[in-house]
Amino acid sequence: MSITEIKKNIHQIIDEFDNQEILEDFHLALRNLLRDYKKNEDFWDELSASQQKEIDNALKEVDEGRTTKHESVISESRKWLAE
């Protein structure tokens, strides 16, 4: 679905309601969603350079197939917890 189609569908949904309370609730929910989206979108800039480097390194390892199986992590965690 294109952006234009999505916007059209959203407008149609809004146009179906004449109830002010529903429209106010929708407006508040949409504003909160956009606020949260923007907050999460900017998290990268809030990380330190070393945190950004660690994430970049981890993503590189995943791309190269250098990962640890989930079962191995769980097994090691159980050993540490048993000590």
Side-chain angles (χ1 to χ4, degrees):
M1 186 178 299
S2 71
I3 291 176
T4 303
E5 290 171 320
I6 294 169
K7 287 181 177 183
K8 182 180 175 184
N9 288 341
I10 291 171
H11 286 283
Q12 286 174 345
I13 291 169
I14 292 169
D15 289 340
E16 289 178 11
F17 293 101
D18 288 326
N19 182 308
Q20 183 171 346
E21 186 178 348
I22 291 173
L23 291 171
E24 287 174 352
D25 287 347
F26 182 79
H27 179 251
L28 181 62
L30 187 57
R31 284 182 58 159
N32 289 338
L33 177 67
L34 291 173
R35 182 199 66 226
D36 291 346
Y37 178 77
K38 287 179 182 178
K39 183 193 292 185
N40 291 332
E41 184 179 293
D42 297 334
F43 85 95
W44 184 257
D45 297 330
E46 296 174 16
L47 298 175
S48 69
S50 64
Q51 289 171 320
Q52 290 177 354
K53 184 177 178 181
E54 287 295 322
I55 292 172
D56 286 336
N57 289 339
L59 292 172
K60 183 179 176 184
E61 288 177 5
V62 169
D63 288 342
E64 295 172 352
R66 296 186 295 134
T67 60
T68 304
K69 293 185 183 263
H70 176 73
E71 294 81 14
S72 298
V73 173
I74 297 299
S75 175
E76 287 297 316
S77 297
R78 287 187 178 138
K79 288 179 189 175
W80 293 333
L81 292 172
E83 293 178 353

